[in-house]
Amino acid sequence: MAAKLRLKCPNCGKIVNTDASAVCPECKTAIALPEGKVYLYRQGSPYGVAGGFGIYVNGEPYGFIGNKETLCFCLPYGSYTFHCAVGMSRKCQDLVINLTPEMTEAFAKVYIKAGFWANSFVIEPMDPKLLNL
């Protein structure tokens, strides 16, 4: 399963799914790939087949992730809080990831945890061997 690269254009701020030769479709600027990568896998669920989960990195929207999809967020070194939500649902067990020269990649999964009154999202670390990248 190949992961889609998800980048934020440093010039116009548009979120882009791309390959290694990234060019922003909005402003036509070439986008250099940052040194850190966070792989996020969305587990398959019959509850989530119809729609994507909204992804927020440090409170900023970073698009959506579909059912059984894997995304690779290319980010500079630093600390990042990952959060997922759908519509009005904001209940999420966030994950903080620190990318450093010693830890250039991180692997996480997101899934829905059923609750009595409402469902919530859980983002947690995962074993990279399970992704088959």
Side-chain angles (χ1 to χ4, degrees):
M1 169 190 310
K4 293 180 190 174
L5 291 179
R6 174 92 29 109
L7 300 166
K8 187 172 196 173
C9 177
N11 191 40
C12 70
K14 182 168 179 65
I15 303 299
V16 180
N17 282 342
T18 188
D19 57 20
S21 59
V23 175
C24 177
E26 189 77 20
C27 67
K28 309 298 184 220
T29 301
I31 304 172
L33 293 178
E35 54 278 336
K37 292 184 173 81
V38 176
Y39 291 89
L40 181 64
Y41 170 69
R42 177 178 164 190
Q43 290 183 301
S45 166
Y47 299 115
V49 174
F53 295 176
I55 303 168
Y56 297 85
V57 179
N58 290 348
E60 296 291 322
Y62 251 77
F64 296 89
I65 187 168
N67 205 30
K68 292 187 177 180
E69 184 175 34
T70 302
L71 296 175
C72 175
F73 295 84
C74 296
L75 301 164
Y77 296 143
S79 181
Y80 299 95
T81 301
F82 278 76
H83 176 88
C84 284
V86 172
M88 297 302 289
S89 173
R90 295 282 181 196
K91 286 182 72 174
C92 180
Q93 180 182 321
D94 295 348
L95 179 64
V96 176
I97 295 172
N98 293 305
L99 296 174
T100 66
E102 294 77 33
M103 190 179 121
T104 60
E105 294 183 328
F107 300 86
K109 63 183 173 183
V110 60
Y111 59 92
I112 295 175
K113 182 179 177 184
F116 182 72
W117 290 107
N119 296 333
S120 61
F121 298 95
V122 177
I123 306 172
E124 61 186 28
M126 73 175 292
D127 183 353
K129 294 175 191 161
L130 300 175
L131 285 178
N132 298 324
L133 294 174

